Amino acid sequence: MGTVSASSVAVYENGEGEPATTTTKVIHPQDQNKLDAGALFVLKSKGSWVHCGYHLTTSIVAPALLSLPYAFTFLGWGPGILCLIIGALVTFYSYNLISLVLEHHAHLGHRHLRFRDMAYHILGPKWGRYYVGPIQFMVCYGAVVASTLLGGQCLKAIYLLSDPDGSMKLYEFVIIFGCLMLILAQIPSFHSLRHINLISVGLCLAYSACATAGSIHIGNSSEGPNKDYSLVGNNESRAFGIFNAIAIIATTYGNGIIPEIQATIAPPVKGKMFKGLCVCYIVVIVTFFTVAISGYWAFGNQSKGLILSNFLDDGKPLVPKWFIFMTNMFTIFQLSAVGVVYLQPTNEVLEQTFADPMSKELSLRNVIPRIIFRSLSVIIATTIAAMFPFFGDVNAVIGAFGFMPLDFILPVVFYNLTFKPSKRSPIFWLNMVIAVVFSALAVIAAIAAVRQISLDAKTYRLFANV
């Protein structure tokens, strides 16, 4: 779909404009790589599979995992663990399928560096331009806003720990975190983040270990809550709670930028993404399962939206203050890395629109608009986070409409359309089952998220100090 035969032309294999092969032209945006500043400057292909592992881990293993015990409160032990396992298996499988499709097209001389280019080529121009592109932008920018809001909440938690009667408001802490993001956003390319994302891997392991250790300590303490694992609420709230929990777990495993991450790998790309995924999912298994199981074991159906909130009981710390301070600091610094990773699709679009590919990356012609427009994008995200402290409810809708299609549905569709497996083959039907089941779950999860917004709407207030 969306392919037109034309005369033979040189197609560029990587973002630095190196000719790869001569072939029949496929009309899609990536053929303009040589003139595309977004691909040249933001998605430059210089990294190794190890760097890819760092980027993948930062984009998936984020502080959202600290909400997994809360998801278990709607599911209970058995279904909760089962959903975690299914989420890990399906996303690892789906991300590997996207990688295989990207490798296939790269081998043919058409290396796609962006999700929307991939959809443009496989599904047709309207899908890439009007569905996948906007959905990916919404998901990634929503992740930036959510990271900024959560960073502000963690800063506020540290502040109240040291000064329980302090007068500073949440929006002030959101602005402080936004200033950190403003600095990090100026890093030129995705590949340039490799050292920050290596530190991020250590940080996510650190705060996950702290969350697990804190939960075990409180669970064994006489000051801990009585353990109750029963599901609360009437049948209707339980049913919607199940789908809300599924949306939380799906969003926690969500990525949405697999093609952009693979674009950072220096050619040839074959097999490198799989190694990076293996590194990432080792960290996923260690962090997701330990935090979810220990947190739910310690607090049961009293687990809060962020498990660190359970470490305080009416303002009284259940673990040493320095421990809460340290855990929140690990979380804050990793959130800044997560936020800047999910800024990359926005940065790429801004660079493509306002930069000059014929000038050097660090020339004044490109540096000045880069600073202006990247700063504006961070300021807007920070303003949204400060104004809408209930953005978590909105993000659940974004996750249902965005992460599920990008990470669970489109990968299997891309694979079937690209490789055309026999309709009698197990892989064809496995992919069809995944697409149908997660399409249904996405719709139901979106309905559950909208219902939650309607229930919480009466508490919404701009710049609320929650």
Side-chain angles (χ1 to χ4, degrees):
M1 296 183 211
T3 60
V4 181
S5 295
S7 58
S8 295
V9 294
V11 179
Y12 288 84
E13 174 68 21
N14 61 39
E16 299 184 23
E18 297 174 4
T21 184
T22 300
T23 184
T24 300
K25 185 177 181 182
V26 178
I27 305 297
H28 64 91
Q30 194 53 46
D31 284 345
Q32 301 303 318
N33 263 0
K34 190 176 182 182
L35 303 175
D36 184 344
L40 285 171
F41 299 150
V42 178
L43 301 178
K44 58 178 65 174
S45 305
K46 290 185 174 182
S48 67
W49 67 267
V50 177
H51 301 143
C52 171
Y54 302 158
H55 301 322
L56 284 166
T57 304
T58 299
S59 63
I60 297 174
V61 189
L65 71 91
L66 298 174
S67 65
L68 289 173
Y70 175 69
F72 272 41
T73 64
F74 299 107
L75 298 168
W77 276 117
I81 293 174
L82 181 62
C83 285
L84 267 190
I85 294 172
I86 291 173
L89 292 175
V90 173
T91 51
F92 182 87
Y93 175 72
S94 297
Y95 297 154
N96 192 49
L97 290 189
I98 290 183
S99 176
L100 291 174
V101 172
L102 289 167
E103 287 181 7
H104 175 77
H105 289 290
H107 180 71
L108 296 177
H110 312 293
R111 188 176 182 190
H112 303 297
L113 303 183
R114 293 166 282 226
F115 216 132
R116 64 183 182 275
D117 294 349
M118 191 179 181
Y120 192 109
H121 187 193
I122 297 172
L123 300 178
K126 290 184 179 179
W127 280 92
R129 184 177 295 118
Y130 300 114
Y131 179 71
V132 174
I135 286 289
Q136 186 199 31
F137 182 84
M138 179 180 68
V139 165
C140 292
Y141 202 69
V144 175
V145 175
S147 296
T148 307
L149 175 58
L150 185 53
Q153 290 172 335
C154 290
L155 284 171
K156 182 187 173 186
I158 292 173
Y159 172 71
L160 292 178
L161 202 62
S162 58
D163 185 5
D165 299 320
S167 60
M168 289 184 68
K169 309 298 183 183
L170 174 61
Y171 69 84
E172 296 175 89
F173 294 104
V174 170
I175 292 170
I176 292 171
F177 185 86
C179 291
L180 173 60
M181 287 287 297
L182 197 64
I183 296 169
L184 293 177
Q186 310 308 326
I187 296 174
S189 69
F190 205 155
H191 177 65
S192 302
L193 298 176
R194 62 194 183 280
H195 303 302
I196 289 176
N197 288 342
L198 170 59
I199 296 171
S200 170
V201 173
L203 290 170
C204 70
L205 289 169
Y207 68 69
S208 298
C210 289
T212 302
S215 296
I216 293 172
H217 172 78
I218 296 170
N220 286 322
S221 168
S222 59
E223 297 181 346
N226 294 325
K227 298 179 179 65
D228 183 0
Y229 306 113
S230 61
L231 303 180
V232 297
N234 56 33
N235 290 336
E236 179 187 354
S237 62
R238 286 185 187 181
F240 278 107
I242 289 170
F243 294 109
N244 192 30
I246 290 172
I248 290 171
I249 292 172
T251 303
T252 305
Y253 278 108
N255 181 282
I257 51 174
I258 291 293
E260 285 80 2
I261 290 175
Q262 187 154 329
T264 66
I265 300 175
V269 297
K270 186 173 178 61
K272 294 178 181 177
M273 191 68 166
F274 180 78
K275 293 179 182 178
L277 279 169
C278 289
V279 170
C280 172
Y281 271 78
I282 289 171
V283 180
V284 164
I285 291 168
V286 169
T287 55
F288 282 36
F289 284 82
T290 55
V291 170
I293 293 171
S294 65
Y296 187 60
W297 169 79
F299 304 106
N301 57 22
Q302 296 181 47
S303 300
K304 297 181 181 178
L306 197 67
I307 198 61
L308 300 184
S309 301
N310 284 100
F311 289 7
L312 296 171
D313 182 17
D314 291 330
K316 176 188 174 184
L318 301 177
V319 292
K321 286 187 178 182
W322 63 264
F323 186 85
I324 298 177
F325 175 85
M326 178 179 68
T327 306
N328 276 284
M329 288 305 299
F330 289 151
T331 306
I332 289 165
F333 286 125
Q334 210 246 349
L335 276 167
S336 64
V338 172
V340 78
V341 162
Y342 278 102
L343 266 178
Q344 296 310 302
T346 304
N347 290 347
E348 182 271 320
V349 170
L350 292 173
E351 208 87 350
Q352 187 179 21
T353 305
F354 299 107
D356 177 12
M358 305 307 292
S359 302
K360 292 184 178 180
E361 180 182 10
L362 299 180
S363 65
L364 280 179
R365 165 64 184 83
N366 287 328
V367 168
I368 291 174
R370 180 180 300 136
I371 291 173
I372 292 172
F373 290 106
R374 289 190 183 190
S375 298
L376 279 174
S377 73
V378 172
I379 290 169
I380 292 169
T382 303
T383 304
I384 294 171
M387 287 180 65
F388 303 102
F390 45 85
F391 188 78
D393 284 359
V394 179
N395 217 32
V397 179
I398 294 174
F401 278 118
F403 278 121
M404 281 200 182
L406 292 177
D407 297 328
F408 293 87
I409 301 167
L410 286 176
V412 296
V413 172
F414 286 163
Y415 184 90
N416 280 3
L417 290 176
T418 298
F419 292 100
K420 297 180 174 57
S422 168
K423 292 184 179 179
R424 296 180 178 179
S425 65
I427 194 169
F428 175 84
W429 287 107
L430 173 62
N431 290 348
M432 288 299 295
V433 168
I434 290 173
V436 171
V437 168
F438 282 95
S439 294
L441 286 176
V443 173
I444 298 171
I447 293 171
V450 171
R451 173 182 177 272
Q452 191 62 44
I453 287 176
S454 66
L455 292 175
D456 293 344
K458 60 180 178 292
T459 65
Y460 290 168
R461 185 167 56 84
L462 295 182
F463 297 102
N465 185 36
V466 295

